[in-house]
Amino acid sequence: MRRSLACCALFGLLLAAGCTPVRPWEREILARPEMDWDPDPLEAAQRGHIFFSKEASLPGGGAGGGGCGCN
């Protein structure tokens, strides 16, 4: 029982250590275009088009159906 409680406490401390405030002068680094999920908008559009063509749905959309057209 003690060992599991100690493990849970250690896990909680490790989780809390990952939460740190971002200072204003550090936000400039995080706001750079290369830190974006899709740093190249042309490549992101191309990937989205390929995904749409293969899956017959828009990314993040709630529309049903698959690539075969049997809704």
Side-chain angles (χ1 to χ4, degrees):
M1 180 70 178
R2 266 191 178 164
R3 180 176 269 177
S4 64
L5 185 60
C7 285
C8 287
L10 180 64
F11 182 70
L13 285 173
L14 288 174
L15 272 176
C19 300
T20 179
V22 179
R23 292 173 180 84
W25 56 88
E26 295 173 333
R27 292 183 185 152
E28 176 187 1
I29 297 169
L30 296 174
R32 289 183 180 169
E34 59 265 13
M35 294 294 287
D36 195 9
W37 288 108
D38 291 319
D40 186 9
L42 185 61
E43 183 180 347
Q46 182 181 14
R47 257 191 273 126
H49 178 71
I50 291 171
F51 182 80
F52 174 76
S53 299
K54 288 183 176 181
E55 297 293 325
S57 65
L58 292 174
C68 65
C70 52
N71 297 8

mmCIF file of all heavy atoms in Angstrom, residues 33-56:
data_model
loop_
_atom_site.group_PDB
_atom_site.id
_atom_site.type_symbol
_atom_site.label_atom_id
_atom_site.label_comp_id
_atom_site.label_asym_id
_atom_site.label_seq_id
_atom_site.Cartn_x
_atom_site.Cartn_y
_atom_site.Cartn_z
ATOM 1 N N PRO A 33 7.031 30.981 -36.954
ATOM 2 C CA PRO A 33 6.309 30.159 -37.941
ATOM 3 C C PRO A 33 6.767 28.697 -37.960
ATOM 4 O O PRO A 33 5.972 27.804 -38.194
ATOM 5 C CB PRO A 33 6.604 30.835 -39.277
ATOM 6 C CG PRO A 33 6.971 32.231 -38.938
ATOM 7 C CD PRO A 33 7.611 32.176 -37.574
ATOM 8 N N GLU A 34 8.039 28.443 -37.726
ATOM 9 C CA GLU A 34 8.519 27.055 -37.764
ATOM 10 C C GLU A 34 8.053 26.230 -36.566
ATOM 11 O O GLU A 34 8.175 25.015 -36.555
ATOM 12 C CB GLU A 34 10.042 26.990 -37.887
ATOM 13 C CG GLU A 34 10.808 27.654 -36.777
ATOM 14 C CD GLU A 34 11.212 29.081 -37.107
ATOM 15 O OE1 GLU A 34 10.711 29.657 -38.084
ATOM 16 O OE2 GLU A 34 12.030 29.619 -36.368
ATOM 17 N N MET A 35 7.483 26.889 -35.556
ATOM 18 C CA MET A 35 6.948 26.173 -34.397
ATOM 19 C C MET A 35 5.476 25.822 -34.597
ATOM 20 O O MET A 35 4.866 25.188 -33.755
ATOM 21 C CB MET A 35 7.104 27.010 -33.123
ATOM 22 C CG MET A 35 8.529 27.248 -32.712
ATOM 23 S SD MET A 35 9.367 25.750 -32.221
ATOM 24 C CE MET A 35 8.603 25.440 -30.656
ATOM 25 N N ASP A 36 4.902 26.224 -35.722
ATOM 26 C CA ASP A 36 3.493 25.944 -36.018
ATOM 27 C C ASP A 36 3.338 24.461 -36.342
ATOM 28 O O ASP A 36 4.286 23.777 -36.725
ATOM 29 C CB ASP A 36 3.055 26.800 -37.207
ATOM 30 C CG ASP A 36 1.557 26.852 -37.354
ATOM 31 O OD1 ASP A 36 0.858 26.382 -36.448
ATOM 32 O OD2 ASP A 36 1.100 27.369 -38.382
ATOM 33 N N TRP A 37 2.109 23.954 -36.206
ATOM 34 C CA TRP A 37 1.856 22.549 -36.537
ATOM 35 C C TRP A 37 2.146 22.307 -38.008
ATOM 36 O O TRP A 37 2.678 21.274 -38.379
ATOM 37 C CB TRP A 37 0.402 22.174 -36.243
ATOM 38 C CG TRP A 37 0.099 22.066 -34.786
ATOM 39 C CD1 TRP A 37 -0.652 22.937 -34.055
ATOM 40 C CD2 TRP A 37 0.542 21.064 -33.877
ATOM 41 N NE1 TRP A 37 -0.690 22.527 -32.746
ATOM 42 C CE2 TRP A 37 0.026 21.375 -32.616
ATOM 43 C CE3 TRP A 37 1.331 19.930 -34.010
ATOM 44 C CZ2 TRP A 37 0.265 20.596 -31.493
ATOM 45 C CZ3 TRP A 37 1.558 19.152 -32.887
ATOM 46 C CH2 TRP A 37 1.031 19.486 -31.660
ATOM 47 N N ASP A 38 1.769 23.242 -38.846
ATOM 48 C CA ASP A 38 2.028 23.158 -40.281
ATOM 49 C C ASP A 38 2.813 24.396 -40.689
ATOM 50 O O ASP A 38 2.240 25.402 -41.092
ATOM 51 C CB ASP A 38 0.716 23.096 -41.067
ATOM 52 C CG ASP A 38 -0.024 21.799 -40.846
ATOM 53 O OD1 ASP A 38 0.644 20.758 -40.807
ATOM 54 O OD2 ASP A 38 -1.254 21.852 -40.720
ATOM 55 N N PRO A 39 4.147 24.342 -40.605
ATOM 56 C CA PRO A 39 4.933 25.530 -40.919
ATOM 57 C C PRO A 39 4.859 25.931 -42.394
ATOM 58 O O PRO A 39 5.037 27.084 -42.728
ATOM 59 C CB PRO A 39 6.358 25.153 -40.527
ATOM 60 C CG PRO A 39 6.384 23.675 -40.443
ATOM 61 C CD PRO A 39 4.988 23.227 -40.172
ATOM 62 N N ASP A 40 4.577 24.988 -43.274
ATOM 63 C CA ASP A 40 4.487 25.298 -44.699
ATOM 64 C C ASP A 40 3.022 25.206 -45.131
ATOM 65 O O ASP A 40 2.466 24.107 -45.249
ATOM 66 C CB ASP A 40 5.337 24.308 -45.499
ATOM 67 C CG ASP A 40 5.408 24.644 -46.971
ATOM 68 O OD1 ASP A 40 4.944 25.742 -47.348
ATOM 69 O OD2 ASP A 40 5.923 23.816 -47.739
ATOM 70 N N PRO A 41 2.348 26.346 -45.354
ATOM 71 C CA PRO A 41 0.924 26.309 -45.691
ATOM 72 C C PRO A 41 0.624 25.595 -47.009
ATOM 73 O O PRO A 41 -0.400 24.935 -47.146
ATOM 74 C CB PRO A 41 0.515 27.771 -45.773
ATOM 75 C CG PRO A 41 1.717 28.583 -45.553
ATOM 76 C CD PRO A 41 2.864 27.687 -45.256
ATOM 77 N N LEU A 42 1.533 25.673 -47.972
ATOM 78 C CA LEU A 42 1.310 25.003 -49.250
ATOM 79 C C LEU A 42 1.332 23.486 -49.072
ATOM 80 O O LEU A 42 0.479 22.767 -49.592
ATOM 81 C CB LEU A 42 2.366 25.442 -50.266
ATOM 82 C CG LEU A 42 2.203 24.909 -51.683
ATOM 83 C CD1 LEU A 42 0.871 25.372 -52.269
ATOM 84 C CD2 LEU A 42 3.347 25.360 -52.558
ATOM 85 N N GLU A 43 2.287 23.002 -48.293
ATOM 86 C CA GLU A 43 2.359 21.567 -48.035
ATOM 87 C C GLU A 43 1.152 21.089 -47.226
ATOM 88 O O GLU A 43 0.620 20.004 -47.466
ATOM 89 C CB GLU A 43 3.647 21.235 -47.288
ATOM 90 C CG GLU A 43 3.844 19.746 -47.049
ATOM 91 C CD GLU A 43 5.124 19.444 -46.301
ATOM 92 O OE1 GLU A 43 5.979 20.342 -46.168
ATOM 93 O OE2 GLU A 43 5.254 18.300 -45.841
ATOM 94 N N ALA A 44 0.699 21.905 -46.277
ATOM 95 C CA ALA A 44 -0.474 21.547 -45.479
ATOM 96 C C ALA A 44 -1.719 21.463 -46.365
ATOM 97 O O ALA A 44 -2.544 20.553 -46.207
ATOM 98 C CB ALA A 44 -0.683 22.557 -44.366
ATOM 99 N N ALA A 45 -1.859 22.396 -47.311
ATOM 100 C CA ALA A 45 -2.996 22.367 -48.229
ATOM 101 C C ALA A 45 -2.933 21.142 -49.130
ATOM 102 O O ALA A 45 -3.957 20.499 -49.395
ATOM 103 C CB ALA A 45 -3.024 23.641 -49.069
ATOM 104 N N GLN A 46 -1.733 20.800 -49.569
ATOM 105 C CA GLN A 46 -1.568 19.624 -50.422
ATOM 106 C C GLN A 46 -1.914 18.355 -49.645
ATOM 107 O O GLN A 46 -2.606 17.471 -50.150
ATOM 108 C CB GLN A 46 -0.138 19.552 -50.942
ATOM 109 C CG GLN A 46 0.099 18.390 -51.876
ATOM 110 C CD GLN A 46 1.536 18.320 -52.354
ATOM 111 O OE1 GLN A 46 2.411 18.972 -51.800
ATOM 112 N NE2 GLN A 46 1.776 17.530 -53.366
ATOM 113 N N ARG A 47 -1.451 18.257 -48.389
ATOM 114 C CA ARG A 47 -1.776 17.094 -47.566
ATOM 115 C C ARG A 47 -3.285 16.999 -47.311
ATOM 116 O O ARG A 47 -3.855 15.919 -47.320
ATOM 117 C CB ARG A 47 -1.022 17.158 -46.234
ATOM 118 C CG ARG A 47 0.158 16.232 -46.230
ATOM 119 C CD ARG A 47 0.754 16.095 -44.851
ATOM 120 N NE ARG A 47 1.726 17.161 -44.675
ATOM 121 C CZ ARG A 47 1.737 18.023 -43.682
ATOM 122 N NH1 ARG A 47 0.848 17.944 -42.730
ATOM 123 N NH2 ARG A 47 2.654 18.959 -43.617
ATOM 124 N N GLY A 48 -3.915 18.157 -47.077
ATOM 125 C CA GLY A 48 -5.353 18.171 -46.878
ATOM 126 C C GLY A 48 -6.111 17.714 -48.112
ATOM 127 O O GLY A 48 -7.106 16.989 -48.013
ATOM 128 N N HIS A 49 -5.641 18.135 -49.279
ATOM 129 C CA HIS A 49 -6.290 17.725 -50.527
ATOM 130 C C HIS A 49 -6.123 16.221 -50.750
ATOM 131 O O HIS A 49 -7.073 15.533 -51.154
ATOM 132 C CB HIS A 49 -5.701 18.501 -51.698
ATOM 133 C CG HIS A 49 -6.272 18.096 -53.024
ATOM 134 N ND1 HIS A 49 -7.566 18.396 -53.394
ATOM 135 C CD2 HIS A 49 -5.738 17.385 -54.047
ATOM 136 C CE1 HIS A 49 -7.792 17.903 -54.601
ATOM 137 N NE2 HIS A 49 -6.699 17.279 -55.015
ATOM 138 N N ILE A 50 -4.940 15.694 -50.481
ATOM 139 C CA ILE A 50 -4.707 14.259 -50.640
ATOM 140 C C ILE A 50 -5.578 13.475 -49.663
ATOM 141 O O ILE A 50 -6.191 12.473 -50.021
ATOM 142 C CB ILE A 50 -3.218 13.928 -50.451
ATOM 143 C CG1 ILE A 50 -2.415 14.493 -51.632
ATOM 144 C CG2 ILE A 50 -2.997 12.427 -50.333
ATOM 145 C CD1 ILE A 50 -0.914 14.425 -51.443
ATOM 146 N N PHE A 51 -5.670 13.965 -48.425
ATOM 147 C CA PHE A 51 -6.502 13.299 -47.428
ATOM 148 C C PHE A 51 -7.963 13.311 -47.850
ATOM 149 O O PHE A 51 -8.664 12.311 -47.755
ATOM 150 C CB PHE A 51 -6.342 13.975 -46.070
ATOM 151 C CG PHE A 51 -7.127 13.316 -44.970
ATOM 152 C CD1 PHE A 51 -6.651 12.177 -44.357
ATOM 153 C CD2 PHE A 51 -8.342 13.835 -44.559
ATOM 154 C CE1 PHE A 51 -7.369 11.564 -43.359
ATOM 155 C CE2 PHE A 51 -9.066 13.239 -43.565
ATOM 156 C CZ PHE A 51 -8.577 12.087 -42.955
ATOM 157 N N PHE A 52 -8.422 14.457 -48.361
ATOM 158 C CA PHE A 52 -9.806 14.572 -48.835
ATOM 159 C C PHE A 52 -10.065 13.619 -49.994
ATOM 160 O O PHE A 52 -11.099 12.968 -50.058
ATOM 161 C CB PHE A 52 -10.113 16.009 -49.258
ATOM 162 C CG PHE A 52 -11.458 16.171 -49.892
ATOM 163 C CD1 PHE A 52 -12.603 16.176 -49.106
ATOM 164 C CD2 PHE A 52 -11.584 16.292 -51.254
ATOM 165 C CE1 PHE A 52 -13.852 16.313 -49.687
ATOM 166 C CE2 PHE A 52 -12.829 16.424 -51.839
ATOM 167 C CZ PHE A 52 -13.971 16.437 -51.051
ATOM 168 N N SER A 53 -9.100 13.513 -50.907
ATOM 169 C CA SER A 53 -9.274 12.648 -52.069
ATOM 170 C C SER A 53 -9.309 11.183 -51.678
ATOM 171 O O SER A 53 -10.070 10.397 -52.242
ATOM 172 C CB SER A 53 -8.137 12.878 -53.064
ATOM 173 O OG SER A 53 -8.145 14.200 -53.511
ATOM 174 N N LYS A 54 -8.512 10.799 -50.707
ATOM 175 C CA LYS A 54 -8.467 9.396 -50.297
ATOM 176 C C LYS A 54 -9.625 9.021 -49.380
ATOM 177 O O LYS A 54 -10.155 7.930 -49.455
ATOM 178 C CB LYS A 54 -7.148 9.096 -49.585
ATOM 179 C CG LYS A 54 -5.962 9.070 -50.513
ATOM 180 C CD LYS A 54 -4.717 8.692 -49.744
ATOM 181 C CE LYS A 54 -3.546 8.563 -50.696
ATOM 182 N NZ LYS A 54 -2.328 8.162 -49.982
ATOM 183 N N GLU A 55 -10.000 9.908 -48.478
ATOM 184 C CA GLU A 55 -10.990 9.577 -47.464
ATOM 185 C C GLU A 55 -12.391 10.069 -47.793
ATOM 186 O O GLU A 55 -13.339 9.701 -47.117
ATOM 187 C CB GLU A 55 -10.570 10.173 -46.118
ATOM 188 C CG GLU A 55 -9.274 9.619 -45.585
ATOM 189 C CD GLU A 55 -9.387 8.156 -45.201
ATOM 190 O OE1 GLU A 55 -10.456 7.744 -44.721
ATOM 191 O OE2 GLU A 55 -8.406 7.426 -45.389
ATOM 192 N N ALA A 56 -12.540 10.916 -48.784
ATOM 193 C CA ALA A 56 -13.817 11.494 -49.174
ATOM 194 C C ALA A 56 -14.462 12.247 -48.027
ATOM 195 O O ALA A 56 -15.659 12.202 -47.812
ATOM 196 C CB ALA A 56 -14.765 10.435 -49.723
#
